[in-house]
Amino acid sequence: MSGVPGSLDDWLPRFDFREYHERAVPVDELAAFRALLETPAGCDRLTRALLGLRGLRAGRVPLGRMFEAMGFDVLERTGISLVVGTTGQPWRPTGPLGAFADSRPATVRIAADLRARRGMISTETRILALDDRARRAFRRYWFVVGPFSALIRRRWLAAASRAIAAASCPTAPSPNSR
C-alpha cells in the first residue's frame, strides 16, 4: 500500500487504464483542496458542453458533490483527498452505475480522486476491466472519450488554480474609491 492517506493504491492498485493530471498552486494543502472541491464541475462553456454530450448536467455543481450525485461511492475522504468509485459499463450511456465492490462480468471498476499535496492539486482516474470483454469494450470507448475526459480534468484544475489565485491576490482599490 502507498502510505498516503486516501490513496487510489488502497482502492485500485491494479488497473488497465489510468489518467493523471496535476497543477502547481501557491497555497497550503487544505486551502488548495477546499478550492478544488468548490470548483464547479461545469467550470466553463466547453466543460459544460462536453459533460452535456455525456448526458451530465453538472453546471454549477461543485466537484466535491458531483461524483456522488452521479452515483459514485465515496470510498474515502480526508482533509486533502476525496476518493470515489463505481462499477459499470460507461460505454453504455444508459447503463447504471453500481457499487464499487460489485464485480459483475462485462463491467469495469472505476476509482478516481481529487487531491492536494505539496503545492499541487491533482486528479487521477483508474479503470480496471473485470474481464476481457469489458477491457475490449472500454478500450474502444476510451479511444474516443479519453482525450475529452483529460481535457475536462485539466480545465477543472485550471479553474481551481484561478480561484486560488483570485482568493490570494488582494484587491486593489479602484481609482474612484477615494
Side-chain angles (χ1 to χ4, degrees):
M1 295 298 165
S2 70
V4 175
S7 171
L8 285 178
D9 289 339
D10 295 336
W11 297 98
L12 202 59
R14 289 185 316 104
F15 48 90
D16 297 307
F17 305 89
R18 176 182 182 256
E19 181 179 317
Y20 177 82
H21 304 280
E22 65 182 18
R23 189 168 185 121
V25 292
V27 294
D28 68 79
E29 293 172 341
L30 294 175
F33 186 61
R34 192 169 38 255
L36 184 56
L37 289 181
E38 292 170 1
T39 297
C43 59
D44 58 37
R45 271 183 147 160
L46 179 58
T47 302
R48 284 189 299 277
L50 290 171
L51 291 171
L53 286 173
R54 186 63 175 100
L56 303 172
R57 303 288 174 222
R60 303 297 303 169
V61 175
L63 290 176
R65 291 200 329 254
M66 181 201 69
F67 290 103
E68 204 169 355
M70 290 172 52
F72 281 68
D73 295 332
V74 174
L75 303 176
E76 191 168 345
R77 186 178 184 138
T78 70
I80 60 167
S81 70
L82 171 66
V83 180
V84 297
T86 191
T87 301
Q89 297 177 325
W91 55 91
R92 294 186 175 198
T94 58
L97 297 176
F100 179 74
D102 194 1
S103 58
R104 291 173 288 133
T107 62
V108 295
R109 187 168 287 149
I110 303 167
D113 78 354
L114 299 171
R115 168 176 316 282
R117 185 174 52 230
R118 295 186 302 271
M120 303 294 277
I121 51 176
S122 66
T123 177
E124 182 175 0
T125 304
R126 295 180 180 181
I127 298 97
L128 175 67
L130 298 180
D131 60 23
D132 287 336
R133 185 171 133 204
R135 190 173 295 102
R136 285 189 303 272
F138 190 82
R139 184 176 290 119
R140 289 187 300 270
Y141 166 80
W142 203 241
F143 179 76
V144 174
V145 172
F148 298 106
S149 176
L151 179 62
I152 288 168
R153 284 158 175 73
R154 286 192 308 267
R155 292 177 84 86
W156 285 345
L157 295 176
S161 180
R162 285 190 303 273
I164 289 166
S168 56
C169 180
T171 323
S174 72
N176 298 332
S177 64
R178 290 188 190 145

